[in-house]
């Protein structure tokens, strides 16, 4: 139904991404090796983040998490990301 972000193209040149409000979940490995990303904003509509969602995002330094999150997979969600200074 288009409410789960399954994959974000790792070849995109944008450095920041705001997930649309229509998304309710981020799938497993959705942002795998998106090395151009430095910032991701997750809206209040998102209630879960899958395993390895940001695996290999080596330049990611800011992820804005919503208060509405019910579930963050424990496996590798933020493995191999840059030292994050901006988790909120």
């Amino acid at each position: 139904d288009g409410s789960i972000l399954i994959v974000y193209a790792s070849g995109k040149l944008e450095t920041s991404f705001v997930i649309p409000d229509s998304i309710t979940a981020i799938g497993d490995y959705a942002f795998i090796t998106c090395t151009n990303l430095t910032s991701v904003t997750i809206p209040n509509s998102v209630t879960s983040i899958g395993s390895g969602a940001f695996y290999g995002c080596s330049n990611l330094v800011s992820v804005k998490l919503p208060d509405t999150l019910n579930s963050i997979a424990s496996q590798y969600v933020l493995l191999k990301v840059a030292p994050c200074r901006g988790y909120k």
Side-chain angles (χ1 to χ4, degrees):
D1 67 358
S3 64
I4 299 173
L5 189 134
I6 296 171
V7 66
Y8 178 86
S10 62
K12 284 192 167 195
L13 299 178
E14 289 82 9
T15 58
S16 64
F17 181 63
V18 176
I19 295 173
D21 289 332
S22 59
I23 299 298
T24 60
I26 298 171
D28 294 348
Y29 299 96
F31 289 90
I32 191 167
T33 65
C34 291
T35 56
N36 289 326
L37 280 179
T38 59
S39 169
V40 174
T41 300
I42 302 172
N44 285 333
S45 58
V46 172
T47 58
S48 67
I49 299 175
S51 180
F54 298 100
Y55 183 88
C57 295
S58 56
N59 293 308
L60 189 60
V61 294
S62 176
V63 177
K64 295 178 183 165
L65 302 173
D67 294 332
T68 54
L69 277 178
N70 293 327
S71 170
I72 298 177
S74 60
Q75 290 282 85
Y76 316 116
V77 169
L78 298 169
L79 188 66
K80 295 188 179 182
V81 299
C84 278
R85 297 179 296 276
Y87 291 111
K88 297 180 182 175

